[in-house]
PDB file of all heavy atoms in Angstrom:
ATOM      1  N   GLY A   1     -22.016  -8.814  -0.377  1.00  0.00           N
ATOM      2  CA  GLY A   1     -20.711  -8.995  -1.004  1.00  0.00           C
ATOM      3  C   GLY A   1     -20.567  -8.349  -2.363  1.00  0.00           C
ATOM      4  O   GLY A   1     -19.560  -7.680  -2.636  1.00  0.00           O
ATOM      5  N   SER A   2     -21.538  -8.533  -3.245  1.00  0.00           N
ATOM      6  CA  SER A   2     -21.426  -8.004  -4.608  1.00  0.00           C
ATOM      7  C   SER A   2     -21.355  -6.488  -4.603  1.00  0.00           C
ATOM      8  O   SER A   2     -20.479  -5.887  -5.229  1.00  0.00           O
ATOM      9  CB  SER A   2     -22.608  -8.478  -5.457  1.00  0.00           C
ATOM     10  OG  SER A   2     -22.547  -9.863  -5.675  1.00  0.00           O
ATOM     11  N   SER A   3     -22.276  -5.840  -3.902  1.00  0.00           N
ATOM     12  CA  SER A   3     -22.296  -4.377  -3.882  1.00  0.00           C
ATOM     13  C   SER A   3     -21.059  -3.817  -3.203  1.00  0.00           C
ATOM     14  O   SER A   3     -20.474  -2.831  -3.653  1.00  0.00           O
ATOM     15  CB  SER A   3     -23.563  -3.877  -3.183  1.00  0.00           C
ATOM     16  OG  SER A   3     -23.617  -2.471  -3.210  1.00  0.00           O
ATOM     17  N   TYR A   4     -20.648  -4.435  -2.104  1.00  0.00           N
ATOM     18  CA  TYR A   4     -19.471  -3.990  -1.363  1.00  0.00           C
ATOM     19  C   TYR A   4     -18.228  -4.020  -2.255  1.00  0.00           C
ATOM     20  O   TYR A   4     -17.443  -3.072  -2.277  1.00  0.00           O
ATOM     21  CB  TYR A   4     -19.285  -4.909  -0.155  1.00  0.00           C
ATOM     22  CG  TYR A   4     -18.248  -4.481   0.857  1.00  0.00           C
ATOM     23  CD1 TYR A   4     -18.594  -3.691   1.953  1.00  0.00           C
ATOM     24  CD2 TYR A   4     -16.927  -4.892   0.749  1.00  0.00           C
ATOM     25  CE1 TYR A   4     -17.648  -3.319   2.901  1.00  0.00           C
ATOM     26  CE2 TYR A   4     -15.975  -4.535   1.680  1.00  0.00           C
ATOM     27  CZ  TYR A   4     -16.338  -3.741   2.755  1.00  0.00           C
ATOM     28  OH  TYR A   4     -15.394  -3.371   3.694  1.00  0.00           O
ATOM     29  N   GLU A   5     -18.072  -5.088  -3.024  1.00  0.00           N
ATOM     30  CA  GLU A   5     -16.913  -5.211  -3.906  1.00  0.00           C
ATOM     31  C   GLU A   5     -16.997  -4.225  -5.068  1.00  0.00           C
ATOM     32  O   GLU A   5     -15.986  -3.651  -5.483  1.00  0.00           O
ATOM     33  CB  GLU A   5     -16.788  -6.643  -4.420  1.00  0.00           C
ATOM     34  CG  GLU A   5     -15.737  -6.864  -5.501  1.00  0.00           C
ATOM     35  CD  GLU A   5     -14.310  -6.508  -5.082  1.00  0.00           C
ATOM     36  OE1 GLU A   5     -14.061  -6.245  -3.873  1.00  0.00           O
ATOM     37  OE2 GLU A   5     -13.439  -6.471  -5.970  1.00  0.00           O
ATOM     38  N   GLU A   6     -18.206  -4.004  -5.606  1.00  0.00           N
ATOM     39  CA  GLU A   6     -18.352  -3.008  -6.668  1.00  0.00           C
ATOM     40  C   GLU A   6     -18.021  -1.614  -6.137  1.00  0.00           C
ATOM     41  O   GLU A   6     -17.418  -0.791  -6.843  1.00  0.00           O
ATOM     42  CB  GLU A   6     -19.766  -3.034  -7.250  1.00  0.00           C
ATOM     43  CG  GLU A   6     -20.134  -4.311  -7.988  1.00  0.00           C
ATOM     44  CD  GLU A   6     -19.195  -4.636  -9.141  1.00  0.00           C
ATOM     45  OE1 GLU A   6     -18.566  -3.704  -9.690  1.00  0.00           O
ATOM     46  OE2 GLU A   6     -19.078  -5.822  -9.492  1.00  0.00           O
ATOM     47  N   CYS A   7     -18.399  -1.334  -4.902  1.00  0.00           N
ATOM     48  CA  CYS A   7     -18.099  -0.043  -4.286  1.00  0.00           C
ATOM     49  C   CYS A   7     -16.591   0.131  -4.136  1.00  0.00           C
ATOM     50  O   CYS A   7     -16.041   1.210  -4.402  1.00  0.00           O
ATOM     51  CB  CYS A   7     -18.796   0.061  -2.928  1.00  0.00           C
ATOM     52  SG  CYS A   7     -18.691   1.683  -2.163  1.00  0.00           S
ATOM     53  N   ARG A   8     -15.916  -0.919  -3.716  1.00  0.00           N
ATOM     54  CA  ARG A   8     -14.462  -0.871  -3.563  1.00  0.00           C
ATOM     55  C   ARG A   8     -13.798  -0.570  -4.911  1.00  0.00           C
ATOM     56  O   ARG A   8     -12.898   0.278  -5.007  1.00  0.00           O
ATOM     57  CB  ARG A   8     -13.948  -2.190  -2.992  1.00  0.00           C
ATOM     58  CG  ARG A   8     -12.509  -2.160  -2.494  1.00  0.00           C
ATOM     59  CD  ARG A   8     -12.080  -3.547  -2.022  1.00  0.00           C
ATOM     60  NE  ARG A   8     -11.932  -4.462  -3.138  1.00  0.00           N
ATOM     61  CZ  ARG A   8     -10.793  -4.639  -3.812  1.00  0.00           C
ATOM     62  NH1 ARG A   8      -9.715  -3.976  -3.480  1.00  0.00           N
ATOM     63  NH2 ARG A   8     -10.750  -5.499  -4.804  1.00  0.00           N
ATOM     64  N   ALA A   9     -14.255  -1.238  -5.969  1.00  0.00           N
ATOM     65  CA  ALA A   9     -13.669  -1.023  -7.294  1.00  0.00           C
ATOM     66  C   ALA A   9     -13.939   0.392  -7.806  1.00  0.00           C
ATOM     67  O   ALA A   9     -13.066   1.018  -8.426  1.00  0.00           O
ATOM     68  CB  ALA A   9     -14.219  -2.063  -8.270  1.00  0.00           C
ATOM     69  N   GLU A  10     -15.147   0.907  -7.563  1.00  0.00           N
ATOM     70  CA  GLU A  10     -15.471   2.273  -7.980  1.00  0.00           C
ATOM     71  C   GLU A  10     -14.616   3.287  -7.222  1.00  0.00           C
ATOM     72  O   GLU A  10     -14.167   4.292  -7.788  1.00  0.00           O
ATOM     73  CB  GLU A  10     -16.958   2.564  -7.754  1.00  0.00           C
ATOM     74  CG  GLU A  10     -17.922   1.775  -8.625  1.00  0.00           C
ATOM     75  CD  GLU A  10     -18.006   2.289 -10.047  1.00  0.00           C
ATOM     76  OE1 GLU A  10     -16.958   2.617 -10.641  1.00  0.00           O
ATOM     77  OE2 GLU A  10     -19.127   2.363 -10.580  1.00  0.00           O
ATOM     78  N   CYS A  11     -14.391   3.044  -5.937  1.00  0.00           N
ATOM     79  CA  CYS A  11     -13.560   3.948  -5.141  1.00  0.00           C
ATOM     80  C   CYS A  11     -12.118   3.950  -5.632  1.00  0.00           C
ATOM     81  O   CYS A  11     -11.451   4.997  -5.638  1.00  0.00           O
ATOM     82  CB  CYS A  11     -13.621   3.563  -3.666  1.00  0.00           C
ATOM     83  SG  CYS A  11     -15.161   4.004  -2.846  1.00  0.00           S
ATOM     84  N   VAL A  12     -11.610   2.787  -6.026  1.00  0.00           N
ATOM     85  CA  VAL A  12     -10.264   2.723  -6.588  1.00  0.00           C
ATOM     86  C   VAL A  12     -10.176   3.595  -7.835  1.00  0.00           C
ATOM     87  O   VAL A  12      -9.200   4.342  -8.034  1.00  0.00           O
ATOM     88  CB  VAL A  12      -9.873   1.265  -6.912  1.00  0.00           C
ATOM     89  CG1 VAL A  12      -8.599   1.222  -7.759  1.00  0.00           C
ATOM     90  CG2 VAL A  12      -9.673   0.467  -5.626  1.00  0.00           C
ATOM     91  N   ALA A  13     -11.198   3.522  -8.691  1.00  0.00           N
ATOM     92  CA  ALA A  13     -11.207   4.339  -9.910  1.00  0.00           C
ATOM     93  C   ALA A  13     -11.187   5.828  -9.572  1.00  0.00           C
ATOM     94  O   ALA A  13     -10.427   6.601 -10.171  1.00  0.00           O
ATOM     95  CB  ALA A  13     -12.430   3.993 -10.758  1.00  0.00           C
ATOM     96  N   LEU A  14     -12.016   6.252  -8.630  1.00  0.00           N
ATOM     97  CA  LEU A  14     -12.027   7.662  -8.223  1.00  0.00           C
ATOM     98  C   LEU A  14     -10.683   8.074  -7.637  1.00  0.00           C
ATOM     99  O   LEU A  14     -10.182   9.175  -7.912  1.00  0.00           O
ATOM    100  CB  LEU A  14     -13.130   7.903  -7.186  1.00  0.00           C
ATOM    101  CG  LEU A  14     -14.579   7.910  -7.656  1.00  0.00           C
ATOM    102  CD1 LEU A  14     -15.509   8.142  -6.475  1.00  0.00           C
ATOM    103  CD2 LEU A  14     -14.810   8.970  -8.725  1.00  0.00           C
ATOM    104  N   TYR A  15     -10.108   7.217  -6.827  1.00  0.00           N
ATOM    105  CA  TYR A  15      -8.885   7.549  -6.099  1.00  0.00           C
ATOM    106  C   TYR A  15      -7.679   7.697  -7.034  1.00  0.00           C
ATOM    107  O   TYR A  15      -6.790   8.516  -6.791  1.00  0.00           O
ATOM    108  CB  TYR A  15      -8.604   6.469  -5.056  1.00  0.00           C
ATOM    109  CG  TYR A  15      -7.552   6.841  -4.044  1.00  0.00           C
ATOM    110  CD1 TYR A  15      -7.827   7.757  -3.032  1.00  0.00           C
ATOM    111  CD2 TYR A  15      -6.287   6.265  -4.096  1.00  0.00           C
ATOM    112  CE1 TYR A  15      -6.858   8.101  -2.099  1.00  0.00           C
ATOM    113  CE2 TYR A  15      -5.318   6.604  -3.168  1.00  0.00           C
ATOM    114  CZ  TYR A  15      -5.602   7.519  -2.170  1.00  0.00           C
ATOM    115  OH  TYR A  15      -4.640   7.863  -1.256  1.00  0.00           O
ATOM    116  N   LEU A  16      -7.649   6.926  -8.108  1.00  0.00           N
ATOM    117  CA  LEU A  16      -6.482   6.912  -8.989  1.00  0.00           C
ATOM    118  C   LEU A  16      -6.650   7.711 -10.274  1.00  0.00           C
ATOM    119  O   LEU A  16      -5.674   7.896 -11.011  1.00  0.00           O
ATOM    120  CB  LEU A  16      -6.114   5.469  -9.347  1.00  0.00           C
ATOM    121  CG  LEU A  16      -5.633   4.569  -8.207  1.00  0.00           C
ATOM    122  CD1 LEU A  16      -5.350   3.168  -8.733  1.00  0.00           C
ATOM    123  CD2 LEU A  16      -4.401   5.141  -7.522  1.00  0.00           C
ATOM    124  N   VAL A  17      -7.856   8.181 -10.550  1.00  0.00           N
ATOM    125  CA  VAL A  17      -8.104   8.770 -11.868  1.00  0.00           C
ATOM    126  C   VAL A  17      -7.320  10.058 -12.103  1.00  0.00           C
ATOM    127  O   VAL A  17      -7.101  10.456 -13.250  1.00  0.00           O
ATOM    128  CB  VAL A  17      -9.616   9.010 -12.084  1.00  0.00           C
ATOM    129  CG1 VAL A  17     -10.132  10.170 -11.225  1.00  0.00           C
ATOM    130  CG2 VAL A  17      -9.930   9.279 -13.552  1.00  0.00           C
ATOM    131  N   ASP A  18      -6.875  10.724 -11.035  1.00  0.00           N
ATOM    132  CA  ASP A  18      -6.141  11.976 -11.237  1.00  0.00           C
ATOM    133  C   ASP A  18      -4.632  11.766 -11.355  1.00  0.00           C
ATOM    134  O   ASP A  18      -3.875  12.731 -11.431  1.00  0.00           O
ATOM    135  CB  ASP A  18      -6.438  12.962 -10.104  1.00  0.00           C
ATOM    136  CG  ASP A  18      -5.911  12.496  -8.748  1.00  0.00           C
ATOM    137  OD1 ASP A  18      -5.577  11.295  -8.618  1.00  0.00           O
ATOM    138  OD2 ASP A  18      -5.850  13.326  -7.821  1.00  0.00           O
ATOM    139  N   VAL A  19      -4.179  10.524 -11.361  1.00  0.00           N
ATOM    140  CA  VAL A  19      -2.747  10.252 -11.491  1.00  0.00           C
ATOM    141  C   VAL A  19      -2.315  10.581 -12.928  1.00  0.00           C
ATOM    142  O   VAL A  19      -2.809   9.965 -13.880  1.00  0.00           O
ATOM    143  CB  VAL A  19      -2.424   8.780 -11.156  1.00  0.00           C
ATOM    144  CG1 VAL A  19      -0.954   8.486 -11.404  1.00  0.00           C
ATOM    145  CG2 VAL A  19      -2.813   8.464  -9.719  1.00  0.00           C
ATOM    146  N   PRO A  20      -1.407  11.553 -13.110  1.00  0.00           N
ATOM    147  CA  PRO A  20      -1.058  12.000 -14.470  1.00  0.00           C
ATOM    148  C   PRO A  20      -0.581  10.874 -15.380  1.00  0.00           C
ATOM    149  O   PRO A  20      -0.913  10.853 -16.574  1.00  0.00           O
ATOM    150  CB  PRO A  20       0.065  13.023 -14.222  1.00  0.00           C
ATOM    151  CG  PRO A  20      -0.183  13.534 -12.834  1.00  0.00           C
ATOM    152  CD  PRO A  20      -0.715  12.347 -12.073  1.00  0.00           C
ATOM    153  N   GLU A  21       0.203   9.930 -14.833  1.00  0.00           N
ATOM    154  CA  GLU A  21       0.724   8.842 -15.660  1.00  0.00           C
ATOM    155  C   GLU A  21      -0.388   7.948 -16.191  1.00  0.00           C
ATOM    156  O   GLU A  21      -0.278   7.392 -17.292  1.00  0.00           O
ATOM    157  CB  GLU A  21       1.727   8.004 -14.850  1.00  0.00           C
ATOM    158  CG  GLU A  21       3.009   8.733 -14.505  1.00  0.00           C
ATOM    159  CD  GLU A  21       2.869   9.674 -13.313  1.00  0.00           C
ATOM    160  OE1 GLU A  21       1.788   9.678 -12.673  1.00  0.00           O
ATOM    161  OE2 GLU A  21       3.826  10.404 -13.014  1.00  0.00           O
ATOM    162  N   ILE A  22      -1.467   7.794 -15.412  1.00  0.00           N
ATOM    163  CA  ILE A  22      -2.612   6.996 -15.869  1.00  0.00           C
ATOM    164  C   ILE A  22      -3.347   7.731 -16.981  1.00  0.00           C
ATOM    165  O   ILE A  22      -3.678   7.154 -18.025  1.00  0.00           O
ATOM    166  CB  ILE A  22      -3.558   6.687 -14.692  1.00  0.00           C
ATOM    167  CG1 ILE A  22      -2.894   5.680 -13.736  1.00  0.00           C
ATOM    168  CG2 ILE A  22      -4.905   6.159 -15.196  1.00  0.00           C
ATOM    169  CD1 ILE A  22      -3.692   5.390 -12.482  1.00  0.00           C
ATOM    170  N   LEU A  23      -3.593   9.010 -16.769  1.00  0.00           N
ATOM    171  CA  LEU A  23      -4.312   9.796 -17.775  1.00  0.00           C
ATOM    172  C   LEU A  23      -3.526   9.874 -19.081  1.00  0.00           C
ATOM    173  O   LEU A  23      -4.105   9.857 -20.173  1.00  0.00           O
ATOM    174  CB  LEU A  23      -4.594  11.192 -17.227  1.00  0.00           C
ATOM    175  CG  LEU A  23      -5.637  11.229 -16.107  1.00  0.00           C
ATOM    176  CD1 LEU A  23      -5.561  12.541 -15.343  1.00  0.00           C
ATOM    177  CD2 LEU A  23      -7.036  11.028 -16.675  1.00  0.00           C
ATOM    178  N   LYS A  24      -2.202   9.915 -18.967  1.00  0.00           N
ATOM    179  CA  LYS A  24      -1.364   9.994 -20.168  1.00  0.00           C
ATOM    180  C   LYS A  24      -1.477   8.716 -21.000  1.00  0.00           C
ATOM    181  O   LYS A  24      -1.414   8.757 -22.238  1.00  0.00           O
ATOM    182  CB  LYS A  24       0.091  10.236 -19.765  1.00  0.00           C
ATOM    183  CG  LYS A  24       0.991  10.668 -20.913  1.00  0.00           C
ATOM    184  CD  LYS A  24       2.406  10.958 -20.429  1.00  0.00           C
ATOM    185  CE  LYS A  24       2.444  12.204 -19.556  1.00  0.00           C
ATOM    186  NZ  LYS A  24       3.844  12.585 -19.193  1.00  0.00           N
ATOM    187  N   ILE A  25      -1.665   7.580 -20.324  1.00  0.00           N
ATOM    188  CA  ILE A  25      -1.853   6.312 -21.044  1.00  0.00           C
ATOM    189  C   ILE A  25      -3.062   6.394 -21.971  1.00  0.00           C
ATOM    190  O   ILE A  25      -3.066   5.857 -23.078  1.00  0.00           O
ATOM    191  CB  ILE A  25      -1.999   5.146 -20.046  1.00  0.00           C
ATOM    192  CG1 ILE A  25      -0.655   4.845 -19.386  1.00  0.00           C
ATOM    193  CG2 ILE A  25      -2.544   3.891 -20.734  1.00  0.00           C
ATOM    194  CD1 ILE A  25      -0.734   3.861 -18.237  1.00  0.00           C
ATOM    195  N   PHE A  26      -4.100   7.109 -21.505  1.00  0.00           N
ATOM    196  CA  PHE A  26      -5.316   7.270 -22.312  1.00  0.00           C
ATOM    197  C   PHE A  26      -5.261   8.515 -23.203  1.00  0.00           C
ATOM    198  O   PHE A  26      -6.279   8.942 -23.744  1.00  0.00           O
ATOM    199  CB  PHE A  26      -6.536   7.335 -21.394  1.00  0.00           C
ATOM    200  CG  PHE A  26      -6.887   6.025 -20.741  1.00  0.00           C
ATOM    201  CD1 PHE A  26      -6.398   5.704 -19.488  1.00  0.00           C
ATOM    202  CD2 PHE A  26      -7.687   5.106 -21.393  1.00  0.00           C
ATOM    203  CE1 PHE A  26      -6.714   4.491 -18.880  1.00  0.00           C
ATOM    204  CE2 PHE A  26      -8.010   3.892 -20.800  1.00  0.00           C
ATOM    205  CZ  PHE A  26      -7.517   3.587 -19.541  1.00  0.00           C
ATOM    206  N   SER A  27      -4.059   9.099 -23.304  1.00  0.00           N
ATOM    207  CA  SER A  27      -3.816  10.264 -24.187  1.00  0.00           C
ATOM    208  C   SER A  27      -4.462  11.549 -23.689  1.00  0.00           C
ATOM    209  O   SER A  27      -4.818  12.419 -24.490  1.00  0.00           O
ATOM    210  CB  SER A  27      -4.288   9.963 -25.622  1.00  0.00           C
ATOM    211  OG  SER A  27      -3.681   8.797 -26.119  1.00  0.00           O
ATOM    212  N   TYR A  28      -4.603  11.676 -22.373  1.00  0.00           N
ATOM    213  CA  TYR A  28      -5.162  12.909 -21.815  1.00  0.00           C
ATOM    214  C   TYR A  28      -4.098  13.621 -20.991  1.00  0.00           C
ATOM    215  O   TYR A  28      -3.500  13.042 -20.076  1.00  0.00           O
ATOM    216  CB  TYR A  28      -6.376  12.615 -20.934  1.00  0.00           C
ATOM    217  CG  TYR A  28      -7.509  11.937 -21.676  1.00  0.00           C
ATOM    218  CD1 TYR A  28      -7.944  10.670 -21.299  1.00  0.00           C
ATOM    219  CD2 TYR A  28      -8.114  12.549 -22.769  1.00  0.00           C
ATOM    220  CE1 TYR A  28      -8.970  10.026 -21.986  1.00  0.00           C
ATOM    221  CE2 TYR A  28      -9.132  11.911 -23.465  1.00  0.00           C
ATOM    222  CZ  TYR A  28      -9.547  10.658 -23.070  1.00  0.00           C
ATOM    223  OH  TYR A  28     -10.555  10.033 -23.760  1.00  0.00           O
ATOM    224  N   GLU A  29      -3.877  14.876 -21.325  1.00  0.00           N
ATOM    225  CA  GLU A  29      -2.930  15.702 -20.588  1.00  0.00           C
ATOM    226  C   GLU A  29      -3.492  17.107 -20.447  1.00  0.00           C
ATOM    227  O   GLU A  29      -4.431  17.503 -21.149  1.00  0.00           O
ATOM    228  CB  GLU A  29      -1.578  15.746 -21.308  1.00  0.00           C
ATOM    229  CG  GLU A  29      -0.872  14.397 -21.419  1.00  0.00           C
ATOM    230  CD  GLU A  29       0.496  14.503 -22.070  1.00  0.00           C
ATOM    231  OE1 GLU A  29       1.428  14.965 -21.380  1.00  0.00           O
ATOM    232  OE2 GLU A  29       0.623  14.148 -23.255  1.00  0.00           O
ATOM    233  N   GLY A  30      -2.922  17.863 -19.515  1.00  0.00           N
ATOM    234  CA  GLY A  30      -3.289  19.265 -19.359  1.00  0.00           C
ATOM    235  C   GLY A  30      -4.747  19.461 -19.008  1.00  0.00           C
ATOM    236  O   GLY A  30      -5.323  18.746 -18.186  1.00  0.00           O
ATOM    237  N   GLU A  31      -5.352  20.437 -19.647  1.00  0.00           N
ATOM    238  CA  GLU A  31      -6.739  20.801 -19.340  1.00  0.00           C
ATOM    239  C   GLU A  31      -7.700  19.651 -19.632  1.00  0.00           C
ATOM    240  O   GLU A  31      -8.649  19.418 -18.893  1.00  0.00           O
ATOM    241  CB  GLU A  31      -7.147  22.040 -20.139  1.00  0.00           C
ATOM    242  CG  GLU A  31      -8.560  22.524 -19.828  1.00  0.00           C
ATOM    243  CD  GLU A  31      -8.972  23.723 -20.648  1.00  0.00           C
ATOM    244  OE1 GLU A  31      -8.135  24.247 -21.419  1.00  0.00           O
ATOM    245  OE2 GLU A  31     -10.140  24.151 -20.525  1.00  0.00           O
ATOM    246  N   GLU A  32      -7.435  18.924 -20.716  1.00  0.00           N
ATOM    247  CA  GLU A  32      -8.321  17.817 -21.066  1.00  0.00           C
ATOM    248  C   GLU A  32      -8.273  16.726 -19.997  1.00  0.00           C
ATOM    249  O   GLU A  32      -9.295  16.119 -19.668  1.00  0.00           O
ATOM    250  CB  GLU A  32      -7.942  17.237 -22.426  1.00  0.00           C
ATOM    251  CG  GLU A  32      -9.021  16.322 -22.993  1.00  0.00           C
ATOM    252  CD  GLU A  32      -8.749  15.897 -24.423  1.00  0.00           C
ATOM    253  OE1 GLU A  32      -7.568  15.676 -24.769  1.00  0.00           O
ATOM    254  OE2 GLU A  32      -9.721  15.775 -25.195  1.00  0.00           O
ATOM    255  N   ALA A  33      -7.099  16.492 -19.419  1.00  0.00           N
ATOM    256  CA  ALA A  33      -6.978  15.517 -18.339  1.00  0.00           C
ATOM    257  C   ALA A  33      -7.801  15.952 -17.132  1.00  0.00           C
ATOM    258  O   ALA A  33      -8.476  15.135 -16.494  1.00  0.00           O
ATOM    259  CB  ALA A  33      -5.512  15.354 -17.942  1.00  0.00           C
ATOM    260  N   GLU A  34      -7.770  17.244 -16.806  1.00  0.00           N
ATOM    261  CA  GLU A  34      -8.560  17.770 -15.690  1.00  0.00           C
ATOM    262  C   GLU A  34     -10.054  17.586 -15.942  1.00  0.00           C
ATOM    263  O   GLU A  34     -10.824  17.284 -15.017  1.00  0.00           O
ATOM    264  CB  GLU A  34      -8.238  19.250 -15.476  1.00  0.00           C
ATOM    265  CG  GLU A  34      -6.823  19.504 -14.987  1.00  0.00           C
ATOM    266  CD  GLU A  34      -6.518  20.988 -14.862  1.00  0.00           C
ATOM    267  OE1 GLU A  34      -7.457  21.799 -15.020  1.00  0.00           O
ATOM    268  OE2 GLU A  34      -5.348  21.339 -14.611  1.00  0.00           O
ATOM    269  N   ILE A  35     -10.462  17.754 -17.189  1.00  0.00           N
ATOM    270  CA  ILE A  35     -11.878  17.572 -17.543  1.00  0.00           C
ATOM    271  C   ILE A  35     -12.293  16.119 -17.359  1.00  0.00           C
ATOM    272  O   ILE A  35     -13.381  15.815 -16.865  1.00  0.00           O
ATOM    273  CB  ILE A  35     -12.139  18.039 -18.995  1.00  0.00           C
ATOM    274  CG1 ILE A  35     -12.026  19.564 -19.088  1.00  0.00           C
ATOM    275  CG2 ILE A  35     -13.520  17.584 -19.469  1.00  0.00           C
ATOM    276  CD1 ILE A  35     -12.089  20.102 -20.509  1.00  0.00           C
TER     277      ILE A  35
END
């Protein structure tokens, strides 16, 4: 259970990290956002 749930949470992070609106919240845009 613990590892399975941690895997699910990590996958969510990977899946959503390229959303421009999310990156903009952290002040990343353009080339820096891609990095």
